[in-house]
Amino acid sequence: MFEKILVPVDGSETSWRALAEAKELAEAFNGELLVINVIQPYNNSAMLVVPLDQATINQGNNELTKIGNGVLDTAKEKLKDFKGKKDFDLEVGHPSERVLAVCKEKKCTAIVIGSRGLSGIAEFFLGSVSSKVSQYADVPVLIVK
């Protein structure tokens, strides 16, 4: 079950606890880790109040990419003593959709995810990423508090 564990991280405390738990599981079961960060880029259709010019949107998306890569760099540091196979990917799209798609594409056997991320008010209205992932995943999902 824990041969290839997908771990989405967003920089929140619960995502770091999920990463630590996934590391322990991978070590115990000789598994590998796939750590991802999903950025959701800006576009004009997502702007409800004030449409922005393309240069501003591009600048915002570049900043999101930098932040996402920074989160992955922190994950690499937290896993520096993990001896098993580990990969790190920056994904672009809706977080729960990308987590589920990557899980299938990369043939992961489990997902370990934090219970609450950094999504704030959107989480309140749309439901948490962890809830959607656990509802629609075809593999076991461990939600870490």
Side-chain angles (χ1 to χ4, degrees), residues 14-114:
T14 58
S15 75
W16 298 135
R17 285 196 292 272
L19 183 64
E21 187 68 33
K23 177 185 172 195
E24 287 184 31
L25 288 168
E27 288 172 339
F29 292 96
N30 198 28
E32 62 184 80
L33 296 173
L34 173 56
V35 181
I36 66 170
N37 176 266
V38 181
I39 60 170
Q40 193 166 5
Y42 297 114
N43 61 44
N44 261 336
S45 63
M47 301 295 165
L48 299 176
V49 180
V50 180
L52 301 174
D53 63 58
Q54 194 61 44
T56 304
I57 291 171
N58 289 342
Q59 182 180 4
N61 288 340
N62 289 338
E63 287 301 312
L64 287 174
T65 300
K66 286 179 189 175
I67 292 167
N69 284 323
V71 170
L72 289 177
D73 287 343
T74 302
K76 289 174 187 174
E77 181 65 26
K78 289 179 180 289
L79 292 176
K80 67 181 177 189
D81 64 337
F82 177 69
K83 304 293 186 226
K85 184 177 183 212
K86 55 194 171 208
D87 289 312
F88 302 87
D89 287 329
L90 183 66
E91 296 288 329
V92 177
H94 186 276
S96 58
E97 291 172 7
R98 285 309 307 148
V99 169
L100 294 167
V102 167
C103 184
K104 280 188 178 181
E105 291 165 10
K106 304 288 185 167
K107 298 180 176 33
C108 296
T109 57
I111 300 170
V112 178
I113 189 170

